[in-house]
Each structure stands twice: as C-alpha cells, then as structure tokens.
Amino acid sequence: MDQNSHLVESNMSENVKQNIIQVAQETFMKFGYRKTTMDEIAVAAGKGKSSLYYYFKSKEEVFQAVVEKEAKFLIENIKCEVQLHEDPKEQIRQYIITRISGVIKLKTLSKAVRDTYLSNLDFIEEIRIAFDNQEIAIVSGILQNGVKLKVFRQLDIPLTARTFSTIMKGLEIPIFIRKNEFEMIKNIDEILEILFKGINH
C-alpha cells in the first residue's frame, strides 16, 4: 500500500471513529451512561457490534472519548469567546457566560463530573483535573492582562483564578436545579459587580 492510500484509509478510519463518538454522545445524553449499551451505540451508528469493538474496547472507553471531546470543545469555546474581546472585565463575563452555557448544553460532561457513580471511573478525575487546570490557565491570563492594564489591582493570580473556578462550580448547582440558562445569565452582571469590587484597581 502506497503512502497516499494509507493516508486515505487512515482518514476514513478516523472519520468513522469520530462518527461513532458523535452518535455515542447523543445516545449517552438520551439514556445516560448506565442505560446505554454497546448494542445501542452500534445500531445508532449504523455499524455492527464487532465494528464498534474495532475502535473501542468497551462502553467505558467510548464514554471516555465522549467526555474528552466535550471537555475539549468547552475549553476551546471559552478561549474563542474570550479572545473576541479586549476588555478584561468583558473577557471574564464571556468566560462565565460561555461556561454556564456549556454546562447546560454538554450534558455528558456535566453528568460525568457530578455523578458519584461515574466518578468511580478512573479517567473521570483525570479529565476533571485537566479541565480545571486549563480553565485556571485561561482565567489567569485574563487576570494578568487586567493587572497589566491597571483594570484590576495587584492580585495573587493563582489564588484568584482558583477562586473563580470554585465560584463557577458553585454556580452549577442552581443551574441543575433550575435548568434555566436565561435566568442564570441575566444575573451575571450582578455577580460580576460583586466580584469586581474585590479585584478592581
């Protein structure tokens, strides 16, 4: 097999794998982890069960791929929205809004990091830690820029960034109770006013 043929085959294989992940994402969102089976994923993907096992060894491995995909999507989306703005205060606002929207829409990821049963899966804690570290890095960058521009006072950047991350986790609770994105977002400015009183220059 020449190099071009191998590349085409590799791309096709990756496309099939990504399609399986997409279908599995929808299936997990609909039925949850425990009620979803490899048979259901295979049927939804239009593949034989044996074909599914060619790409993934178990349902747990498929679930891991889905959660990693959602975590990467949310982080990239947050970065994208933040980079659209120059004002550090607006960057913080967009970070919070995008994260809240993501928590609501990305149900597999949200369920994975909150469900005690799913927390027993070895990879969940690794994904959670990686997500937290990336989130803290984004917020740290915003805060550093805000201090540089004298929008924010001198801060303990690592501590403040971790505090923001903790606050976001606290905001997830009313999100899941109310399940109302609009109701949460309309209160963002009030929350930010309280926060900025502590970090404004």
Side-chain angles (χ1 to χ4, degrees):
M1 182 182 293
D2 60 36
Q3 187 174 355
N4 287 338
S5 297
H6 180 74
L7 183 60
V8 169
E9 184 176 317
S10 177
N11 288 340
M12 288 177 63
S13 179
E14 182 60 26
N15 288 340
V16 171
K17 184 176 181 179
Q18 291 305 316
N19 181 61
I20 291 171
I21 293 172
Q22 176 63 39
V23 168
Q25 181 181 20
E26 295 165 2
T27 308
F28 284 128
M29 285 176 65
K30 185 175 181 181
F31 299 110
Y33 177 78
R34 277 173 278 193
K35 292 183 179 179
T36 297
T37 65
M38 288 291 271
D39 284 318
E40 288 168 334
I41 296 172
V43 169
K47 301 289 179 184
K49 193 174 179 180
S50 59
S51 296
L52 203 61
Y53 279 108
Y54 173 80
Y55 295 96
F56 299 98
K57 296 177 182 178
S58 63
K59 180 177 78 168
E60 180 179 310
E61 197 170 284
V62 181
F63 188 70
Q64 179 176 355
V66 170
V67 175
E68 287 176 345
K69 174 188 174 182
E70 291 194 355
K72 181 180 179 181
F73 174 83
L74 181 52
I75 285 295
E76 290 304 317
N77 204 20
I78 290 172
K79 286 180 180 178
C80 231
E81 291 299 322
V82 166
Q83 288 170 1
L84 290 174
H85 304 273
E86 295 183 2
D87 179 16
K89 288 185 179 181
E90 184 59 27
Q91 287 180 331
I92 289 288
R93 184 173 182 271
Q94 290 303 318
Y95 150 68
I96 294 176
I97 290 174
T98 305
R99 196 184 188 287
I100 287 175
S101 298
V103 166
I104 292 171
K105 293 171 184 174
L106 301 176
K107 293 182 173 59
T108 309
L109 172 64
S110 303
K111 186 75 172 172
V113 297
R114 293 180 61 81
D115 192 310
T116 304
Y117 173 81
L118 295 177
S119 293
N120 293 326
L121 298 175
D122 293 338
F123 61 85
I124 291 297
E125 186 60 21
E126 294 177 10
I127 294 173
R128 182 185 294 161
I129 291 171
F131 181 89
D132 286 349
N133 288 340
Q134 292 178 82
E135 181 181 18
I136 289 169
I138 292 170
V139 177
S140 293
I142 297 172
L143 294 174
Q144 286 170 355
N145 187 46
V147 170
K148 182 180 178 181
L149 295 175
K150 296 186 178 180
V151 174
F152 305 143
R153 63 178 175 79
Q154 288 295 326
L155 299 165
D156 181 332
I157 300 293
L159 176 61
T160 308
R162 288 195 299 272
T163 301
F164 266 96
S165 180
T166 302
I167 289 170
M168 292 310 302
K169 290 180 179 65
L171 287 175
E172 289 175 6
I173 297 172
I175 288 173
F176 282 96
I177 293 173
R178 299 172 188 171
K179 297 182 179 179
N180 188 325
E181 180 179 4
F182 176 76
E183 187 177 344
M184 282 301 302
I185 289 178
K186 75 178 183 179
N187 294 324
I188 289 297
D189 290 329
E190 293 178 14
I191 295 169
L192 287 175
E193 185 180 351
I194 296 170
L195 292 173
F196 288 147
K197 281 181 179 178
I199 64 175
N200 276 353
H201 191 272

